[in-house]
Amino acid sequence: MSENQLSSMEKRRMFLMLFLILLVFLGIFGKLFWIQIAATESYSSRGINLVKNSVIQRQRALVLESGRGEILDRNLQPLTGKIVKALVAFPINSEFAMNGQEVSQLARILKTNKEGWLSFARNLKEPQVWGTQDGGKALSLSSQQVKEIDGLGLANIKVVEMEDRYPTGMTARQLVGFIGQNPDRVMQLYGSDLEKGRLALTSKIGGAGLEKSFDAWLRGVGETSISYFTDAGKRPLAGLDARMIAPDNSFYPVKLITTLDSHVQQQIEALMDKLNIREGAAVVQEAAQGDVIAMASRPNYNPLQVDLASNNWSNYAIKATAPGSIFKTIVAAAALDEKVVTPTETFDCEGALGKYGFTCWRKDGHGPLTLEEGYAQSCNIVFANVMRRLTAAQLEKYANKLGVLNEVGWTGKTDTRDAFEQFDSEERGQLFAAHTPENDEGVLMQTAIGQRDVRMTPLQASNMVVTLLNDGKGFTPRVVQEIQYQTGREMEAFPVKSLASDDGKISAATSRTLLSWMREVVTEGTGQSLQGAKWKLAGKSGTAQIQNGNQEKVNQWFIGYGPVETPRYAVSVVIKNTDPTESNKAIPLFKGIMDILASQGLSNSK
């Protein structure tokens, strides 16, 4: 073999070796590219995100504010979202931990003992807020406590501003609702945000109430968190230890401006608790346009610890239940407008009808009564006889005219939605059940007094009074009037809207007649105990017999308006599932609410 030939073979080997080395380097480079850029979300066989986890190893973050919009009352007082000063502790290397003297000083400032703090600090695996170690809430620090803690200059603790979304003592909890994790709903509603990384399956979204119905606006544009960076030995990285991370957007979070008056709401809820109302609701609406001033529901619940299996979080103000004699208002409206009864005509009540087992609440009877007197005395026999002159179709028509069969809350088109409902899970009313023989005389008589299949919500009941106060013109009640950007600029507006019915409206003359009859309920009828109120009042009582399992219970109702001379508010109250032997609490609650309103100088909404 010649010298030239050897040189050629060596060159070929060298080329192959260099080529193989180049391939190895290209393979390593490609793998690194794949790990760090191309497939960070699913690189490993276990689906571990390597980039994120490498950051997690040196970063410990705690969400301080969700970025969620505020919910305010009509006077811009917060219903949610109070900001408090709180203490955050970070898990770091023991060489940076506090000495005995520092622990004692901090324990004194926090009004705890040394053992309590050490128990909290030793169990830290992630950043944690003082006060939340046993599932509690962040403890709000005073300005003096903040000053003393800052003066200690400790490496593993920091005072921060933190959102307390559902503060202790908050009102309107069922109306406001709650937030929680719901991966299925996140995927259903916010798929595009998931794909773009703006939202995670574990993100908290609205679960009920305004939090749910207005979730698309309230979600905001990102969280505010505090991150604490350490090295592999959990030692703070100099100059990079604690950093605030927040979205840079001056327009968010938004502000949800409701029509509520939080001061009135708070007083009404306190009154309900004072009267020991276990289950029930109260609604206050402005007479002029139907805006909701207050909406309270009992029993109460904790929005931070929601038991979905219970109904405590359910808003009974928009749930349909048996109305009893307040439904006689619809029957009276039909009788007057259809002219099936003359003003002077009387009906004889002897305490029982003599068929269908139909009786009056007054066992010895009322004697001869006109329809007007029968309404004031809530006589069942009078209304049974009046119903004989009406058809099921006529009754349904007037129930529609007075807005008690469909959802009445604000619905309409917004800038971003073709159809939107303000009230979450508002129920419809009901006249007859699916298989009820509507033209059966006995059925119609039971229906006429608000029994059998009849169902109505407290919101529908108060809104019926608003309709009468406006000569038969109905409104769709608002509870939110506007959404504002953080800058105060309008984002969405919800104008006052009429409540239209295909059946038209009742006459102005009938509306006024029924309002005057409601006054007679107070002066001469079943509501005489209201005569000691601060205002002159008018209304209608109702007691519905219901079956709760094997037990007989009653719903106690009262609806009405005040003051009589210049009506400003319509109010409905219901006390549900009470024992038949219990004293009436609906009338004292109605009176108490009207007295609260009489003492207020309420500002007008837009």
Side-chain angles (χ1 to χ4, degrees), residues 317-532:
I318 55 175
K319 300 302 178 185
T321 191
S325 293
I326 66 168
F327 189 79
K328 291 172 182 173
T329 307
I330 287 95
V331 180
L336 290 170
D337 262 9
E338 296 294 329
K339 296 180 173 56
V340 299
V341 177
T342 61
T344 58
E345 184 177 4
T346 61
F347 302 86
D348 193 36
C349 171
E350 296 179 350
L353 188 66
K355 57 193 305 189
Y356 313 120
F358 194 93
T359 61
C360 186
W361 65 267
R362 184 166 178 170
K363 301 306 178 185
D364 59 345
H366 288 96
L369 296 172
T370 64
L371 178 57
E372 179 178 352
E373 292 168 334
Y375 186 84
Q377 300 299 330
S378 200
C379 177
N380 291 345
I381 303 303
V382 169
F383 279 84
N385 282 307
V386 169
M387 193 62 228
R388 283 172 162 166
R389 304 178 185 184
L390 295 167
T391 65
Q394 286 175 316
L395 190 61
E396 184 174 6
K397 180 170 73 171
Y398 283 87
N400 276 320
K401 286 183 177 186
L402 288 168
V404 299
L405 294 185
N406 297 308
E407 300 96 331
V408 296
W410 197 98
T411 61
K413 187 175 181 179
T414 70
D415 289 344
T416 55
R417 294 193 184 186
D418 291 332
F420 175 70
E421 299 177 356
Q422 288 197 358
F423 291 95
D424 170 42
S425 302
E426 180 190 358
E427 292 184 354
R428 298 166 60 93
Q430 178 180 278
L431 201 57
F432 303 106
H435 303 293
T436 298
E438 297 178 5
N439 291 311
D440 179 273
E441 187 179 65
V443 168
L444 288 174
M445 288 180 178
Q446 289 289 332
T447 301
I449 62 172
Q451 292 285 166
R452 197 179 171 93
D453 304 329
V454 185
R455 299 291 182 270
M456 192 188 301
T457 71
L459 180 60
Q460 290 169 338
S462 60
N463 203 54
M464 175 175 68
V465 178
V466 172
T467 301
L468 295 176
L469 290 169
N470 287 277
D471 290 338
K473 178 185 177 183
F475 291 95
T476 58
R478 298 185 302 175
V479 73
V480 173
Q481 53 186 308
E482 183 183 12
I483 303 175
Q484 293 180 358
Y485 289 108
Q486 189 63 217
T487 58
R489 177 185 167 191
E490 182 183 286
M491 181 186 194
E492 290 272 10
F494 304 92
V496 175
K497 291 182 63 178
S498 297
L499 181 64
S501 167
D502 293 338
D503 292 309
K505 64 177 187 175
I506 69 170
S507 68
T510 291
S511 297
R512 292 168 193 154
T513 297
L514 290 173
L515 292 174
S516 69
W517 289 6
M518 286 184 175
R519 177 57 183 160
E520 288 182 37
V521 169
V522 175
T523 58
E524 302 170 26
T526 57
Q528 292 185 57
S529 59
L530 293 170
Q531 291 185 32

Side-chain angles (χ1 to χ4, degrees), residues 3-44:
E3 184 177 344
N4 288 338
Q5 287 177 319
L6 286 172
S7 176
S8 175
M9 289 179 68
E10 287 175 353
K11 287 179 180 179
R12 189 175 296 132
R13 285 197 198 102
M14 289 177 64
F15 174 78
L16 289 172
M17 288 180 65
L18 289 171
F19 183 71
L20 288 171
I21 292 171
L22 178 62
L23 287 177
V24 170
F25 273 109
L26 286 174
I28 293 171
F29 177 79
K31 196 72 170 180
L32 289 172
F33 175 84
W34 181 259
I35 292 172
Q36 297 186 36
I37 299 174
T40 57
E41 299 299 326
S42 59
Y43 163 68
S44 75

Side-chain angles (χ1 to χ4, degrees), residues 1-290:
M1 188 178 290
S2 66
E3 184 177 344
N4 288 338
Q5 287 177 319
L6 286 172
S7 176
S8 175
M9 289 179 68
E10 287 175 353
K11 287 179 180 179
R12 189 175 296 132
R13 285 197 198 102
M14 289 177 64
F15 174 78
L16 289 172
M17 288 180 65
L18 289 171
F19 183 71
L20 288 171
I21 292 171
L22 178 62
L23 287 177
V24 170
F25 273 109
L26 286 174
I28 293 171
F29 177 79
K31 196 72 170 180
L32 289 172
F33 175 84
W34 181 259
I35 292 172
Q36 297 186 36
I37 299 174
T40 57
E41 299 299 326
S42 59
Y43 163 68
S44 75
S45 61
R46 296 183 181 180
I48 297 173
N49 185 321
L50 298 181
V51 170
K52 287 184 179 178
N53 277 276
S54 68
V55 173
I56 290 171
Q57 287 177 7
R58 61 183 183 272
Q59 176 188 1
R60 294 292 182 266
L62 178 73
V63 175
L64 302 178
E65 293 182 41
S66 64
R68 198 167 179 82
E70 304 170 90
I71 302 178
L72 311 173
D73 80 346
R74 59 172 48 203
N75 300 310
L76 305 185
Q77 295 302 305
L79 297 170
T80 59
K82 186 174 74 171
I83 302 298
V84 299
K85 296 277 189 179
L87 180 70
V88 177
F90 297 90
I92 62 174
N93 191 288
S94 58
E95 68 182 274
F96 292 90
M98 294 177 281
N99 59 41
Q101 182 181 355
E102 290 169 334
V103 170
S104 296
Q105 288 178 299
L106 182 61
R108 176 189 57 79
I109 297 169
L110 296 177
K111 299 177 182 178
T112 186
N113 53 46
K114 186 175 179 180
E115 291 72 24
W117 172 262
L118 290 175
S119 175
F120 167 71
R122 285 170 183 154
N123 293 323
L124 287 179
K125 294 181 180 179
E126 300 290 338
Q128 191 168 352
V129 180
W130 171 249
T132 63
Q133 54 266 37
D134 296 317
K137 300 181 68 172
L139 294 181
S140 179
L141 302 174
S142 68
S143 56
Q144 181 61 33
Q145 285 176 304
V146 172
K147 181 179 178 181
E148 291 183 32
I149 291 170
D150 288 343
L152 295 177
L154 300 173
N156 65 326
I157 63 171
K158 189 174 182 65
V159 175
V160 297
E161 287 191 338
M162 190 169 187
E163 178 187 36
D164 182 9
R165 185 152 191 90
Y166 302 128
T168 302
M170 74 170 283
T171 59
R173 295 185 184 189
Q174 288 84 358
L175 176 61
V176 169
F178 58 87
I179 57 175
Q181 293 180 343
N182 191 331
D184 291 339
R185 196 157 171 269
V186 168
M187 291 179 66
Q188 178 186 353
L189 297 179
Y190 305 120
S192 61
D193 286 338
L194 273 174
E195 292 176 5
K196 295 174 183 177
R198 297 174 183 166
L199 201 66
L201 284 175
T202 55
S203 296
K204 290 185 177 181
I205 60 173
L210 298 179
E211 294 278 29
K212 182 179 178 182
S213 53
F214 286 87
D215 189 63
W217 289 284
L218 289 171
R219 280 195 306 114
V221 293
E223 301 169 334
T224 296
S225 64
I226 184 169
S227 293
Y228 204 83
F229 293 85
T230 61
D231 61 17
K234 290 188 177 182
R235 292 180 290 265
L237 294 175
L240 193 64
D241 45 5
R243 298 180 64 190
M244 297 289 291
I245 300 173
D248 184 18
N249 193 319
S250 61
F251 291 96
Y252 289 86
V254 300
K255 294 181 280 191
L256 204 68
I257 314 299
T258 70
T259 59
L260 298 179
D261 186 292
S262 59
H263 186 56
V264 170
Q265 177 82 26
Q266 188 175 36
Q267 290 183 80
I268 290 173
E269 292 192 18
L271 176 61
M272 294 176 77
D273 293 338
K274 182 180 178 181
L275 292 172
N276 194 30
I277 293 171
R278 299 181 299 274
E279 189 175 351
V283 178
V284 180
Q285 289 180 254
E286 283 183 322
Q289 57 192 33

